[in-house]
Structures are given as structure tokens and as C-alpha cells.
Amino acid sequence: MQENLEILSRAINEWMPEGRPVVQAPPAAELEQMLDLKLSDEGSGRGTLEAAIQSYLHFNPDVSQAEFYKLLYSGQNKYALLGDWITSLSNATMHTYQVGPVATLMELELIRQWNKLVGFGDKGEGVMVAGGSQANLIGMMLARHHACPEYKTKGAQGKTLVAYVSDQAHYSGQKAANVLGIGTDNLIAVATDDAGRMRPDALAAEIEKSKAQGHTPFFIGLTAGTTVTGAYDPVAACSEIAKTHGIWLHIDGAWGGPILFSEQHRHLLADSHLADSFAWDAHKLMNVPITAAVILVKHPGALKACCSGGGGDYLFHADENADYNLGERSIQCGRRADALKVWLSWKAAGNNGFAEKIDFLQSIKADCVAQIEERDGLEMLAPANYLNVLFRYKPDNIDDEQALRKLNIEICKTMMRSGGPYVDYAQYKGRTGIRLILANTEVTHDHLERLLDKVQRIGMELSE
Ligand SMILES: *Cc1c(COP(=O)(O)O)cnc(C)c1O
């Protein structure tokens, strides 16, 4: 154990030096040639293992840095990191109370707090899952169970179930429709308005169309904070439609859910209590090490009714702790105790800590948008309601969309090759831009200035 601590200490102090580039991995085929990662019959000593750890850290993007703008998380949450280490030390598992007693009670407290934020109240339940994709999968599974309880035991029985998400929704909807036997063609991408929000009139029309075909609409999946532009679908209007047709309403708040912490900004997700289920990722804006997420459900007992099956003969004993065995609400058996890292960081920050984080990031976002709008050759491609800033470099002499796409992709790649800042590109309504995610409270006005200067400089060089 002492040896492990020494290696950890060297990893932190020596192998992740201050000021290292935020990104520095060569292409995969090249890296594979550089490193010897082959496993063999013979075991190896500590020196070989240390060298491997060193390379592992060296080539991984440094997600802790302010200039890591690429994904929906950035920075370091020190108590969550500590929690992650302790979780591995304990190796608790979450199927029964007996083998994760404090972890179980922590998870239940987290679920109570999350339900309070979302507005599902005291009766709301939930279970932690391995990411937003799985939370959306369970949301769709709950909807399927609600519409066709016999699907669980008898299968489709000739029914065509149809699900609706917006054309800006995360691709996990397709995965879920595939896994659940719905069929990805029966996942309808509902049209969005200019701001990337689902159009309730288009949703109503799609449902009518399905019904006219004799199909069974069963799931409406709204997004709170779309992945590319951070748009929030209109909950109240879509909830009316869901109610009219008796369809399960799910909200994918994997990215945008934490806005509920902020009194100033939670209006973007007013009416979340109208949904039946809600997906929330703690490993995005709450910046807990991957993975940590939850599926919340308004209706008590729904998770067990939908997910349970088996295990009663050897695992889920009917003893005094039976109500605390989270395994019957889950599709997993062994499940990592993700609660500890979330609980520790929430306990440390309090609700106010997360509210301050959102408010700060919203203000730095506004600063960023203002800088983009006043610079020559830069333009916003979508409204930035949340913490996604989608913009592009567009010189006066180029109007062709394909040429602009190529130029902006090349700007991103050139920055990546030079070690940062690390951004990504994305498409929105036929145009391609640079997607900047503001999720790190270490980001300053100067960081943004440096980034935008670099985008302009590289853009100018490439388009000359
Ligand atoms: C990231 C994201 C997901 C997927 O979450 P994972 O934790 O990566 O599985 C789902 N929906 C939205 C809106 C997201 O941004």
C-alpha cells in the first residue's frame, strides 16, 4: 500500500508538471508504435508499470486545466477525487445494503436532494447509473413499462411503440431505442426552432401522425441543455401534449440539470416537476470523476416494477434491510459506489457552492459572447443560454458553407496540434462552428482573450 501512495505522489508531483500542454497525443497509430503496451506470459516489475503510468498520464488531455474547453466538464473537484479514491479502497458494491451500508444511505440522501431540486418532492425515487446515456435508457424503459407493462415478460406482441425527442437531442436516445427493442426508426427527431428548442406544434403533429398509422406513442424525451448549444426544451407546453395523450414525459438534464441550483438561472428549467422522470449527470457540471449519474422518477415503486427480476434466491434477502437494497431498482448487479464522491463534494460545497459556480460560469459565458460579438471575423451560430458557446471564424471573403466548415475544423486541429487551448467543432443547423464549453471556474477573461486571439490569428493565416 505504501508503494502505491508513493507512486500516486510522484504521479501528481512529477508526472503531471505545472504548465504542461492541455493536449498532446499524437494520432493513435503513431502512439501505438511509440509505446510498448503488449501483454505477455511473463509478469513485469514495478519499473515497467511506473513507466506505463507515466505515459498514460503524459498523453491524456489534462482535463483539470482552464483551457480544456472540449467536453462538458473541466477542472478538478478535489473532494470528489478523494471520494473516488476512497471508493476504490472500500470496493463497496451497491446491490444490497449489507455490502455498501454507508454508500447506500448516502445515495438515498443524494436522491432525496435531487428530487427536491427537480420538484418531484418526498415521494420521488431514483437510482444512480453509469452515465446520462444509461439514465435516458432507464427513462425510456420506464415509459415502455408504463405504456405496456406486459412488454417486460411477453415482448412487443406486434405493437409498434414510438418515442419522440428533438432533432438536437443526445444520441443516447438512439442507443436506448435500439437496446429496448423499440427500433431506431421509431425514434422521431422532432423539429426545433431557431434556438434549438423542440417545437410543441411539431411534437403534436408527429404524435398525430403516429396514431394515424396505428402506432403507440409512449415516450417524450425533452432535453434540458442540449449537447451542442445548451438549449432548453419548453417543458410546460410539451407536458400538456404528453398529458393529452397519456405519454410518459422524460427530461434529459444530463448537462443542463444543475441549473436548478441557481435561483438566478433556474427559470430556464422551470416546470421540471411536470416530468415523470429526469436524467442528471454528476460527472458533467458537478465535475465528479466519471462515472456518476442518476435517474429520478416521480412515481414511487416504478423503478422496481420495471427493472426487478431474479436474485431473490441468493442475493436480495427479505430481512430488515430489504427496503434499502437498491439492486432491485437497477439493471446492474455489481455497481460501483458512485455516491461517496458526489456526497463528499456536495457536503463540502453545499447547494450554495453549486449555485455560485453556475452564476459565475454564466457571467464568464456572457463575457465570452460579448468578446466574440465585438471581434472582426467571429460570429455566434446559436444563442448561448447556458454554458455552450458555438461560434465560428468567418472572413468577409468566404461565404461557402463547406469552405467555412473546412476552415473552422482546421482552426480546431491547428490549436490542438499546438497544445491548446483545447476546443472541439460541431454542426448546428447546417453550419459548422467551434464549440466552447465553459464548465471550469478557473477560466478568466484573459483565458478567453487568449483563445479568441488564437482563433482569429490561425483563421487569418489559413484563409489568406
Ligand atoms: C452527455 C450527455 C448525455 C450522455 O451522458 P453520458 O454520461 O456521457 O452517458 C446525454 N444527454 C445529454 C444532453 C448530454 O449532454
Side-chain angles (χ1 to χ4, degrees):
M1 193 61 87
Q2 201 52 41
E3 210 175 52
N4 280 359
L5 285 177
E6 280 163 26
I7 293 179
L8 198 53
S9 158
R10 287 185 65 200
I12 294 164
N13 296 312
E14 295 170 34
W15 302 338
M16 299 174 79
E18 287 272 322
R20 71 203 189 104
V22 61
V23 52
Q24 54 186 332
E30 220 173 286
L31 186 57
E32 202 170 21
Q33 293 301 315
M34 290 165 65
L35 306 176
D36 179 13
L37 301 178
K38 295 275 182 308
L39 298 172
S40 56
D41 292 339
E42 296 301 318
S44 302
R46 172 170 160 168
T48 307
L49 305 183
E50 276 188 26
I53 294 171
Q54 213 171 335
S55 316
Y56 178 101
L57 289 170
H58 179 80
F59 290 110
N60 209 69
D62 188 355
V63 302
S64 71
Q65 289 191 36
E67 294 193 320
F68 182 79
Y69 304 107
K70 180 184 162 67
L71 297 180
L72 304 176
Y73 59 90
S74 176
Q76 204 169 69
N77 176 338
K78 74 176 171 183
Y79 293 111
L81 180 59
L82 182 63
D84 207 52
W85 291 339
I86 303 291
T87 302
S88 294
L89 190 64
S90 74
N91 206 18
T93 186
M94 299 305 296
H95 47 47
T96 49
Y97 168 81
Q98 302 286 357
V99 283
V102 180
T104 298
L105 298 178
M106 283 177 167
E107 181 164 330
L108 288 168
E109 170 61 9
L110 287 170
I111 288 165
R112 269 191 292 277
Q113 294 299 327
W114 270 315
N115 273 310
K116 212 157 137 190
L117 285 167
V118 168
F120 288 170
D122 295 342
K123 291 232 170 69
E125 60 168 21
V127 68
M128 292 186 75
V129 292
S133 297
Q134 197 189 112
N136 289 335
L137 170 78
I138 305 299
M140 194 182 283
M141 191 171 166
L142 287 161
R144 190 188 73 178
H145 193 72
H146 172 72
C148 302
E150 73 284 7
Y151 207 113
K152 178 176 174 178
T153 48
K154 299 197 167 29
Q157 295 187 292
K159 267 206 178 114
T160 300
L161 300 186
V162 186
Y164 310 82
V165 294
S166 89
D167 62 18
Q168 295 299 311
H170 188 263
Y171 70 88
S172 49
Q174 289 178 51
K175 303 274 179 188
N178 180 0
V179 172
L180 295 172
I182 304 302
T184 52
D185 287 352
N186 297 316
L187 178 74
I188 307 295
V190 178
T192 50
D193 64 15
D194 288 344
R197 297 169 299 200
M198 184 188 279
R199 277 177 34 207
D201 63 314
L203 172 65
E206 293 287 2
I207 291 170
E208 292 301 343
K209 208 161 103 189
S210 304
K211 284 193 155 174
Q213 291 171 308
H215 296 166
T216 309
F218 80 107
F219 173 86
I220 297 170
L222 303 182
T223 310
T226 56
T227 313
V228 174
T229 70
Y232 284 79
D233 287 339
V235 178
C238 295
S239 157
E240 281 304 314
I241 298 168
K243 262 194 228 139
T244 304
H245 296 279
I247 304 173
W248 187 274
L249 186 69
H250 172 78
I251 297 178
D252 175 1
W255 166 227
I259 197 104
L260 292 169
F261 280 114
S262 163
E263 216 158 292
Q264 199 185 337
H265 298 286
R266 73 164 68 112
H267 62 90
L268 285 170
L269 187 44
D271 308 316
S272 54
H273 62 282
L274 296 172
D276 296 295
S277 55
F278 194 101
W280 180 306
D281 253 341
H283 64 224
K284 284 184 172 161
L285 201 72
M286 292 171 91
N287 201 23
V288 167
I290 284 174
T291 60
V294 71
I295 175 73
L296 302 168
V297 193
K298 191 194 267 170
H299 317 290
L303 277 168
K304 188 170 168 183
C306 173
C307 298
S308 68
D313 43 355
Y314 80 103
L315 188 63
F316 301 118
H317 304 306
D319 59 17
E320 75 275 23
N321 298 317
D323 287 346
Y324 291 83
N325 293 339
L326 297 180
E328 290 186 281
R329 302 180 185 184
S330 172
I331 58 166
Q332 293 173 254
C333 177
R335 177 163 66 86
R336 198 163 192 273
D338 294 326
L340 176 64
K341 58 192 173 184
V342 185
W343 188 92
L344 280 178
S345 60
W346 200 327
K347 187 72 176 171
N351 291 2
N352 293 344
F354 289 116
E356 280 162 24
K357 177 174 183 173
I358 307 263
D359 293 347
F360 170 79
L361 292 171
Q362 284 283 27
S363 70
I364 199 84
K365 183 272 311 275
D367 175 353
C368 180
V369 173
Q371 290 192 56
I372 288 169
E373 282 173 344
E374 74 193 19
R375 281 172 186 249
D376 285 342
L378 295 187
E379 65 179 14
M380 293 290 296
L381 290 188
N385 286 313
Y386 190 41
L387 304 171
N388 314 44
V389 177
L390 186 71
F391 70 105
R392 70 177 174 183
Y393 178 71
K394 186 192 170 305
D396 287 339
N397 60 341
I398 307 182
D399 287 310
D400 177 63
E401 287 300 334
Q402 273 312 313
L404 287 168
R405 172 176 163 81
K406 240 180 98 187
L407 175 60
N408 280 276
I409 291 175
E410 200 46 44
I411 292 171
C412 292
K413 289 188 170 168
T414 306
M415 278 207 290
M416 191 179 80
R417 282 193 295 267
S418 72
Y422 200 9
V423 292
D424 207 349
Y425 55 88
Q427 266 183 299
Y428 177 67
K429 304 216 174 226
R431 299 195 288 179
T432 298
I434 297 169
R435 188 189 73 161
L436 180 66
I437 299 295
L438 294 167
N440 189 331
T441 47
E442 303 288 311
V443 174
T444 62
H445 177 86
D446 290 351
H447 282 123
L448 295 170
E449 209 163 62
R450 191 176 108 90
L451 166 74
L452 298 174
D453 282 350
K454 202 162 175 180
V455 168
Q456 275 180 312
R457 193 174 65 246
I458 297 171
M460 227 174 309
E461 283 164 15
L462 290 170
S463 56
E464 257 167 13

